[in-house]
Amino acid sequence: MKTLYTGITCPNPAYVHTPLIEILPVQDNSTLMQAAGSVDRYDYVLFTSRFAVKHFCSLLPQPTAISHHPSIVSIGSATTVALYNIGVKDVQQVDEDNSYGVIEWFRSQPCGRILIPRSNLALPIIPEGLRQMGFEVDTVTAYINSMPQNPQRTDLSKIDRIVFTSPSTIDNFIRLYGSLPEGKVFDTRGPVTEQHLHTKIKTT
């Protein structure tokens, strides 16, 4: 079975790798800098990707400013490793690596103020869910999730399986190819991406 992988970093050299997202810095980072400078005002800082760690923490007034924060929360192992690499030793990683897992993890935590550095395309699932539980949530765009300027097209007749790593990879695939091809196996990473795929299958 020949697999097409659409995410940024391909986990298997045997896959055909054509990234359908590109991570870029925000053009005007004044709001992001303001959030980085006021990180101590928050009870929790929630990182939902390694890219948020990179682009948010690079603007901290001191490189180690966040390492002593009492509640740094990570959505998954790659994000946790990125935090370890900048010197954060105490990271609370949620049990399930997805938006719903984040919400469930916070159900057992004391209410407080949460800062979420995230993508410009991040869905409202996490902040809305946390606000419904009584948390005060601020979000800030830490990076831009964009379609590559010159994405590579693959001969889909030679592909049996397509792996989508986020809702944006699905949207960008449809922009590039016009539709989702029939007769292929689709795999997704996480329930949010899976739900988005089902929605697109019904509407395309």
Side-chain angles (χ1 to χ4, degrees):
M1 177 177 286
K2 197 164 188 179
T3 296
L4 173 64
Y5 192 86
T6 62
I8 292 178
T9 304
C10 187
N12 190 329
Y15 292 169
V16 177
H17 185 209
T18 58
L20 292 182
I21 58 173
E22 182 179 14
I23 303 301
L24 303 171
V26 295
Q27 291 186 345
D28 179 1
N29 65 3
S30 56
T31 301
L32 185 59
M33 288 185 66
Q34 184 178 4
S38 59
V39 69
D40 289 336
R41 297 168 52 198
Y42 294 90
D43 302 296
Y44 306 89
V45 183
L46 169 61
F47 291 98
T48 57
S49 76
R50 67 187 187 275
F51 306 113
V53 174
K54 173 183 176 181
H55 290 279
F56 179 81
C57 293
S58 66
L59 296 178
L60 290 169
Q62 296 178 355
T64 59
I66 204 171
S67 63
H68 304 296
H69 195 284
S71 294
I72 301 299
V73 185
S74 164
I75 198 172
S77 58
T79 306
T80 298
V81 169
L83 287 163
Y84 286 158
N85 287 341
I86 64 168
V88 181
K89 304 300 182 184
D90 187 9
V91 179
Q92 302 181 68
Q93 183 176 314
V94 303
D95 297 327
E96 296 183 34
D97 181 6
N98 60 67
S99 298
Y100 301 112
V102 169
I103 294 171
E104 286 304 313
W105 185 87
F106 272 100
R107 287 190 191 281
S108 61
Q109 306 302 316
C111 278
R113 192 175 186 189
I114 306 173
L115 175 64
I116 310 177
R118 60 188 200 150
S119 158
N120 62 312
L121 298 182
L123 298 173
I125 296 171
I126 292 176
E128 288 182 356
L130 296 177
R131 289 180 185 123
Q132 289 175 4
M133 292 192 294
F135 289 90
E136 183 179 349
V137 182
D138 290 337
T139 63
V140 62
T141 299
Y143 61 94
I144 303 300
N145 181 335
S146 176
M147 185 169 182
Q149 289 188 350
N150 298 297
Q152 180 181 349
R153 288 176 61 95
T154 297
D155 183 356
L156 296 180
S157 68
K158 299 179 180 179
I159 298 296
D160 305 297
R161 171 175 171 257
I162 303 172
V163 178
F164 295 112
T165 60
S166 67
S168 56
T169 60
I170 298 171
D171 293 340
N172 291 343
F173 182 95
I174 294 172
R175 287 175 59 191
L176 181 62
Y177 292 97
S179 64
L180 293 168
E182 296 182 357
K184 309 296 180 184
V185 175
F186 297 131
D187 280 344
T188 58
R189 192 179 70 181
V192 174
T193 306
E194 182 179 5
Q195 290 172 8
H196 192 72
L197 176 63
H198 289 326
T199 299
K200 291 299 181 180
I201 290 174
K202 292 178 181 178
T203 58
T204 59

